[in-house]
């Protein structure tokens, strides 16, 4: 008891010093924050919970410490999501982080199936409708933000217990649940305005996905397959994009494309879930990473084969030509390499592989589909 209490006291003292001096490097801050969060999670009898909310805010604000002048000069021309958020007014930043504007990879993952569908629906020899791509890009940004807001509202108590998520705005106390609810209403209202720009068939199809957006965060409490439900949610654009261009779905193309997107989501989000598997066990939530464990690579290989098969079927039914299949072959090679090399027991490598794989799809396969369609 006494050593634990002394450890917590020393950690709290160090954090207070950090808040005043602002000289603690990121690695030191990370160690202190993890120690603090572990102490707060593991013990309720030491009497330090009264200070936890305040110090969690200190940790989160310090983890986004300001760059030194030389670093600022190097990055002054960067348009990264993190820099956009950090340059916003202080009272706006928590809301931008709540919608994950500083981590745009999720928005791209939601947007890419839309672009594939819009590209495949284009007339032979024509590029896809740029206006439609822009409209879906705006919708993806808003709906991803809304989904993250819903997720953080559901997971407030869970996020507090995981070092990686404890600094999220709702978990850290920067934004109340009521403020988040109002913000969510604003995002959904704007997303509705985007949806109303489409045809009636697309409006009905798009509105039907809202139930998935709302219920997905609950799945980790119920099933070891929350990644599958995420796949159903994130790839709805594979159906909606075609419908927005054509006025209805050609199921011989849209269903294989949707299926492929779901399989791809199972690949990247299972890798992503391996980052948090130890914390997930402690908190009591489920994931495919926990279910597959050391058999993960075998499952990922199966998902990849299913994804590629679906894309081949979609390409055949959409009367695609050789360049489409050449691009698909490059994707197959890349995914095979990713699955072979990823170390599922190292969180840093999981994030690196996830980011690299998504960037490959974003910067190679999606432009290839857009340019070479028939």
């Amino acid at each position: 008891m006494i050593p634990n209490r002394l450890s917590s006291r020393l950690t709290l003292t160090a954090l207070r010093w950090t808040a005043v001096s602002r000289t603690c490097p990121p690695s030191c801050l990370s160690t202190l924050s993890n120690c603090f969060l572990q102490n707060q999670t593991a013990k309720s009898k030491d009497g330090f919970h009264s200070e936890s909310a305040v110090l969690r805010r200190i940790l989160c604000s310090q983890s986004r410490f300001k760059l030194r002048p030389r670093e600022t000069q190097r990055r002054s021309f960067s348009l990264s999501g993190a820099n956009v958020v950090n340059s916003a007014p202080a009272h706006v930043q928590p809301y931008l982080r709540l919608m994950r504007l500083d981590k745009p990879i999720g928005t791209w993952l939601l947007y890419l199936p839309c672009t594939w569908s819009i590209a495949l629906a284009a007339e032979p020899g024509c590029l896809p409708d740029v206006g439609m791509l822009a409209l879906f890009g705006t919708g993806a940004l808003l709906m991803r933000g809304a989904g993250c807001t819903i997720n953080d509202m559901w997971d407030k108590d869970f996020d507090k217990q995981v070092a990686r998520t404890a600094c999220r705005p709702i978990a850290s106390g920067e934004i109340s649940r009521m403020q988040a609810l109002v913000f969510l209403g604003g995002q959904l209202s704007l997303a509705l305005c985007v949806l109303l720009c489409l045809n009636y068939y697309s409006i009905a199809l798009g509105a039907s996905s809202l139930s998935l957006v709302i219920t997905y965060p609950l799945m980790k409490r119920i099933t070891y397959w929350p990644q599958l439900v995420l796949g159903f949610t994130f790839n709805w654009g594979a159906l909606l994009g075609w419908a927005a261009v054509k006025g209805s779905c050609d199921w011989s193309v849209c269903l294989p494309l949707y299926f492929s997107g779901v399989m791809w989501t199972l690949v990247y989000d299972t890798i992503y879930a391996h980052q948090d598997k130890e914390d997930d066990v402690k908190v009591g939530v489920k994931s495919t990473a926990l279910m597959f464990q050391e058999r993960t690579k075998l499952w990922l290989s199966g998902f990849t084969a299913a994804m590629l098969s679906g894309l081949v079927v979609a390409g055949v039914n959409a009367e695609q030509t050789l360049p489409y299949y050449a691009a698909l072959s490059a994707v197959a090679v890349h995914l095979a390499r990713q699955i072979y090399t990823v170390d599922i027991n190292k969180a840093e490598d999981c994030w690196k592989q996830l980011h690299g794989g998504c960037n490959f799809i974003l910067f190679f396969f999606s432009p290839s589909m857009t340019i070479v369609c028939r």
Side-chain angles (χ1 to χ4, degrees), residues 138-139 142-143 184-196:
T138 303
L142 292 168
M143 286 306 298
L184 173 63
Q187 292 177 93
L188 291 177
S189 297
L190 291 174
L192 178 61
C193 292
V194 173
L195 186 62
L196 292 176

Side-chain angles (χ1 to χ4, degrees), residues 85-113:
V85 171
N86 290 336
S87 62
H91 66 281
V92 175
Q93 289 185 21
Y95 292 94
L96 299 182
R97 285 187 284 107
L98 179 59
M99 64 183 297
R100 308 288 198 277
L101 194 64
D102 56 330
K103 298 176 181 177
I105 187 170
T107 302
W108 286 115
L109 291 172
L110 182 61
Y111 179 53
L112 289 178

Side-chain angles (χ1 to χ4, degrees), residues 213-239:
V213 175
I214 294 173
T215 58
Y216 157 69
L218 296 174
M219 293 300 107
K220 68 186 76 170
R221 298 163 170 82
I222 301 171
T223 175
Y224 279 99
W225 290 89
Q227 282 70 28
L228 179 62
V229 182
L230 179 67
F232 293 148
T233 307
F234 256 47
N235 294 281
W236 203 258
L239 307 177

Side-chain angles (χ1 to χ4, degrees), residues 75-87:
R75 302 186 183 185
S76 58
F77 295 104
S78 174
L79 292 178
S80 68
N83 283 351
V84 170
V85 171
N86 290 336
S87 62

Side-chain angles (χ1 to χ4, degrees), residues 14-329:
L15 289 170
R16 290 194 188 96
W17 175 84
T18 300
V20 174
S21 65
R22 295 178 178 267
T23 59
C24 182
S27 58
C28 172
L29 182 62
S30 176
T31 302
L32 288 173
S33 63
N34 288 339
C35 178
F36 168 70
L37 290 169
Q38 288 168 4
N39 286 336
Q40 293 299 313
T41 302
K43 301 182 292 297
S44 61
K45 55 189 176 183
D46 284 347
F48 297 112
H49 280 281
S50 61
E51 297 179 282
S52 63
V54 174
L55 288 176
R56 189 178 283 109
R57 293 184 189 183
I58 292 174
L59 286 170
C60 295
S61 63
Q62 288 300 308
S63 66
R64 300 182 295 274
F65 65 97
K66 296 179 181 179
L67 296 172
R68 296 181 178 89
R70 185 175 297 177
E71 292 173 332
T72 302
Q73 290 176 2
R74 288 194 199 128
R75 302 186 183 185
S76 58
F77 295 104
S78 174
L79 292 178
S80 68
N83 283 351
V84 170
V85 171
N86 290 336
S87 62
H91 66 281
V92 175
Q93 289 185 21
Y95 292 94
L96 299 182
R97 285 187 284 107
L98 179 59
M99 64 183 297
R100 308 288 198 277
L101 194 64
D102 56 330
K103 298 176 181 177
I105 187 170
T107 302
W108 286 115
L109 291 172
L110 182 61
Y111 179 53
L112 289 178
C114 306
T115 67
W116 301 346
S117 187
I118 293 171
L120 289 174
E123 293 297 323
C126 298
L127 292 174
D129 187 338
V130 175
M132 194 66 72
L133 289 173
L135 197 64
F136 272 77
T138 303
L141 179 65
L142 292 168
M143 286 306 298
R144 194 265 178 139
C148 290
T149 302
I150 294 171
N151 181 81
D152 289 6
M153 291 173 68
W154 281 120
D155 290 352
K156 176 184 177 181
D157 295 331
F158 286 157
D159 287 345
K160 289 179 180 179
Q161 302 178 55
V162 179
R164 187 179 63 83
T165 60
C167 290
R168 287 178 176 174
I170 298 178
S172 65
E174 291 180 276
I175 295 177
S176 69
R177 272 183 170 156
M178 180 54 67
Q179 290 173 318
L181 184 62
V182 173
F183 184 57
L184 173 63
Q187 292 177 93
L188 291 177
S189 297
L190 291 174
L192 178 61
C193 292
V194 173
L195 186 62
L196 292 176
C197 295
L198 306 179
N199 55 61
Y200 291 122
Y201 185 95
S202 300
I203 292 172
L205 186 62
S208 63
S209 69
L210 190 59
S211 59
L212 288 171
V213 175
I214 294 173
T215 58
Y216 157 69
L218 296 174
M219 293 300 107
K220 68 186 76 170
R221 298 163 170 82
I222 301 171
T223 175
Y224 279 99
W225 290 89
Q227 282 70 28
L228 179 62
V229 182
L230 179 67
F232 293 148
T233 307
F234 256 47
N235 294 281
W236 203 258
L239 307 177
L240 192 57
W242 185 286
V245 175
K246 297 290 192 178
S248 62
C249 284
D250 181 344
W251 297 110
S252 68
V253 177
C254 293
L255 280 182
L257 190 64
Y258 181 61
F259 172 78
S260 297
V262 173
M263 293 298 104
W264 182 45
T265 302
L266 280 167
V267 172
Y268 68 68
D269 206 53
T270 297
I271 294 175
Y272 181 81
H274 271 281
Q275 296 180 103
D276 297 331
K277 56 189 176 184
E278 293 180 2
D279 288 322
D280 288 347
V281 171
K282 296 175 184 177
V283 174
V285 298
K286 303 175 176 68
S287 71
T288 50
L290 293 178
M291 185 174 68
F292 300 156
Q293 297 184 16
E294 296 305 317
R295 296 173 297 150
T296 291
K297 292 192 176 184
L298 180 61
W299 279 92
L300 295 183
S301 299
F303 295 146
T304 299
M307 169 195 172
L308 296 171
S309 298
L311 288 173
V312 168
V313 172
V316 170
N317 291 337
E319 300 179 353
Q320 288 299 301
T321 53
L322 183 61
Y324 172 87
Y325 301 104
L328 197 55
S329 299

